[in-house]
């Protein structure tokens, strides 16, 4: 197959659909609650028991019988005190009071709890003269917060601290989540050396590998390896690529995607028998992005220019990582007021790196400095992409623009 026979220059939405269409949510695994924060539920969750499980005191004070609530000027015999961790094995009878602590179980027959600051204790006598006591005062009822059998979270929910606390309170010991996608990263280029190595003459450190590793981790993926290989040594590069494909759910290659003779990434993919999906996307930066599939595993080839690599990841790889976890693939889109200018006009559909905030007046976004594909400056603090249509005019402050939020909001 020649380069001209490939589907060149597809639009972004078509490229996304082809990639996302390849994958399904990964199998589930059960994790302990202490390791589950940020993971995605693989099943609907019904609570196994009431929260709270029994009547509890809402304040430190004294449990009194239901019949005493109709009286005023109470003088009650102090039956004793229940400390934290005690479970009452006796009822509270009319004319009695039992000391209780916040969150502690209440004796049978409790009609209300008198706050300790509103009573006087004189020896074995509890005196209450503060007026009428409404039934149920300062009592947490069983199931007041959650009922047994209640649907507390649906499949596809991201587990947060609050949900984990509820599951712990209800006795849930493990939680079913989608397995984290394993992602392999391979930088191509004879001049590329590991970010941890000292480069020689003509060589550059691999900054894109750690960049993608951080983005994958942000999106809930597990980085299986960050490798670098010379695309002028095909046998070694192919061996590295095959090893990664055997271990992961998605491979990201970096560099070697330029036109004509520079398409070393495409050459390697063909050598291993991968089926190309597209080669080239009508966007800027990131136009030199391609994708293929090998043994049902997607391989996404991104540009070696840092900004193009990052934008390519956000628009093409991140939807795959999300889909593998049972999440909606595509990020949230909003309309925002742009507060800065961008003088360049025309050309293909363009994605500017921006910083978006929301206040009482709505969403605002600023164009970050350093918008060249080769520059990393605009990646610092970037939490949004500004989507400018093909042939766009210069961007003026005060313009309404479409943005894609990159952070979890």
């Amino acid at each position: 197959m020649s380069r001209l026979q490939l589907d060149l220059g597809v639009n972004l939405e078509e490229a996304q659909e082809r990639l996302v269409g390849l994958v399904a949510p990964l199998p589930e695994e059960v994790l302990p609650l202490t390791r589950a924060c940020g993971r995605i539920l693989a099943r609907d969750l019904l609570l196994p028991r009431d929260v709270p499980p029994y009547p509890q005191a809402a304040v430190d004070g004294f449990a009194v019988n239901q019949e005493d609530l109709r009286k005023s000027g109470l003088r009650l015999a102090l039956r004793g005190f229940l400390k934290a961790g005690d479970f009452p094995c006796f009822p509270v009878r009319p004319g009695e009071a039992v000391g209780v602590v916040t969150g502690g179980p209440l004796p049978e027959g409790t009609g209300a709890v008198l706050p300790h600051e509103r009573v006087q204790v004189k020896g074995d006598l509890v005196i209450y003269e503060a007026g009428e006591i409404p039934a149920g005062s300062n009592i947490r009822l069983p199931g007041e917060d959650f009922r047994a059998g209640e649907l507390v979270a649906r499949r596809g929910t991201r587990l947060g601290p609050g949900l984990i606390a509820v599951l712990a309170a209800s006795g849930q010991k493990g939680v079913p989540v989608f397995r984290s996608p394993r992602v392999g990263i391979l930088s191509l280029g004879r001049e590329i050396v590991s970010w941890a190595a000292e480069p020689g003459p003509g060589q550059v450190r691999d900054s894109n590998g750690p960049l993608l590793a951080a983005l994958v981790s942000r999106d809930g993926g597990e980085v299986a390896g960050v490798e670098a290989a010379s695309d002028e040594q095909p046998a070694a590069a192919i061996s590295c690529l095959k090893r990664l494909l055997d271990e992961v759910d998605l491979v990201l290659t970096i560099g070697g995607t330029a036109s004509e003779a520079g398409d070393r990434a495409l050459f390697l993919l063909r050598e291993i028998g991968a089926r190309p999906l597209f080669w080239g996307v009508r966007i800027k930066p990131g136009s030199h992005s391609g994708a293929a599939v090998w043994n049902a595993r997607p391989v996404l080839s991104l540009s070696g220019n840092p900004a193009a690599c990052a934008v390519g990841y956000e628009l093409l790889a991140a939807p795959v990582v999300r889909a593998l976890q049972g999440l909606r693939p595509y990020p949230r889109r909003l309309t925002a007021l742009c507060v800065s200018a961008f003088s360049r006009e025309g050309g293909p559909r363009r994605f500017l790196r921006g910083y978006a905030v929301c206040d009482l007046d709505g969403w605002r976004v600023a164009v970050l400095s350093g918008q060249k594909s080769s520059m990393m400056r605009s990646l610092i603090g970037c939490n949004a992409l500004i989507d400018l249509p093909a042939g766009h005019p210069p961007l003026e402050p005060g313009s309404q623009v479409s943005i894609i939020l990159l952070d979890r909001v």
Side-chain angles (χ1 to χ4, degrees):
M1 182 186 295
S2 72
R3 178 180 171 86
L4 295 177
Q5 290 174 293
L6 281 175
D7 194 350
L8 300 175
V10 298
N11 66 44
L12 174 61
E13 286 70 23
E14 186 174 356
Q16 289 174 328
E17 288 174 7
R18 293 187 190 186
L19 280 165
V20 171
L22 289 174
V23 300
L26 294 167
E28 72 174 55
E29 60 182 354
V30 177
L31 291 181
L33 295 181
T34 52
R35 292 175 48 206
C37 191
R39 298 293 292 273
I40 311 302
L41 278 178
R43 282 181 267 154
D44 291 352
L45 279 189
L46 306 180
L47 289 188
R49 52 185 58 85
D50 288 343
V51 178
Y54 43 72
Q56 296 176 341
V59 296
D60 291 349
F62 297 88
V64 298
N65 186 274
Q66 181 75 29
E67 292 187 16
D68 291 321
L69 302 183
R70 295 189 290 270
K71 304 173 185 177
S72 59
L74 295 179
R75 279 164 172 72
L76 306 171
L78 179 58
R79 177 101 185 246
F81 287 92
L82 294 172
K83 301 185 293 296
D86 289 346
F87 194 89
C89 56
F90 54 85
V92 58
R93 298 184 180 92
E96 294 180 342
V98 176
V100 293
V101 295
T102 303
L106 294 173
E108 184 181 345
T110 300
V113 176
L114 307 178
H116 73 90
E117 63 268 20
R118 299 182 67 183
V119 303
Q120 298 179 56
V121 180
K122 295 184 177 180
D124 292 335
L125 195 64
V126 175
I127 301 171
Y128 177 81
E129 297 177 337
E132 185 178 349
I133 311 162
S137 295
N138 303 311
I139 294 177
R140 300 172 184 169
L141 298 174
E144 181 179 86
D145 206 354
F146 295 94
R147 288 286 187 186
E150 181 177 344
L151 175 65
V152 70
R154 293 195 177 276
R155 180 181 189 266
T157 299
R158 188 183 300 279
L159 282 150
L163 180 54
I164 286 174
V166 171
L167 297 177
S170 69
Q172 187 98 16
K173 295 178 175 58
V175 59
V177 298
F178 290 110
R179 178 171 65 75
S180 291
R182 291 191 292 265
V183 181
I185 300 168
L186 176 60
S187 289
L188 299 172
R190 63 187 294 265
E191 78 284 11
I192 303 297
V193 296
S194 168
W195 59 273
E198 188 66 31
Q203 294 181 322
V204 294
R205 293 186 182 92
D206 176 23
S207 61
N208 287 326
L211 166 68
L212 292 183
L215 291 170
V216 167
S217 298
R218 178 203 68 185
D219 290 336
E222 177 185 320
V223 180
V226 180
E227 307 280 352
S230 173
D231 50 16
E232 291 192 347
Q233 297 176 351
I238 287 171
S239 175
C240 188
L241 179 57
K242 282 185 172 181
R243 178 169 50 78
L244 286 175
L245 282 165
D246 286 336
E247 299 172 353
V248 302
D249 306 295
L250 168 68
V251 168
L252 305 177
T253 72
I254 307 165
T257 60
S259 60
E260 303 305 331
D263 278 347
R264 304 298 294 173
L266 179 57
F267 168 78
L268 294 176
L269 292 173
R270 283 173 164 161
E271 285 294 300
I272 66 170
R275 174 174 60 86
L277 294 174
F278 60 83
W279 209 257
V281 185
R282 293 195 291 271
I283 58 173
K284 189 171 184 177
S287 61
H288 297 306
S289 299
V293 57
W294 180 87
N295 196 21
R297 289 184 179 86
V299 183
L300 181 57
S301 296
L302 302 174
S303 171
N305 276 324
C309 181
V311 170
Y313 173 88
E314 300 288 8
L315 298 177
L316 299 171
V320 176
V321 175
R322 287 190 283 265
L324 287 167
Q325 298 172 84
L327 292 170
R328 181 180 178 274
Y330 305 112
R332 186 178 175 191
R333 277 185 173 270
L334 298 165
T335 298
L337 182 74
C338 189
V339 298
S340 48
F342 183 72
S343 60
R344 192 167 299 177
E345 61 182 313
R349 184 178 181 181
R350 189 186 302 270
F351 288 89
L352 304 179
R353 279 75 67 206
Y355 179 73
V357 295
C358 187
D359 55 25
L360 293 176
D361 295 322
W363 283 94
R364 294 178 291 115
V365 65
V367 179
L368 294 170
S369 61
Q371 289 291 324
K372 290 182 179 180
S373 295
S374 58
M375 298 176 71
M376 292 182 282
R377 181 176 295 275
S378 64
L379 303 182
I380 299 175
C382 176
N383 68 355
L385 295 178
I386 303 168
D387 186 356
L388 301 181
H392 61 85
L395 186 59
E396 301 291 342
S399 302
Q400 292 288 325
V401 293
S402 174
I403 66 171
I404 297 172
L405 291 182
L406 305 181
D407 290 349
R408 295 174 183 168
V409 177

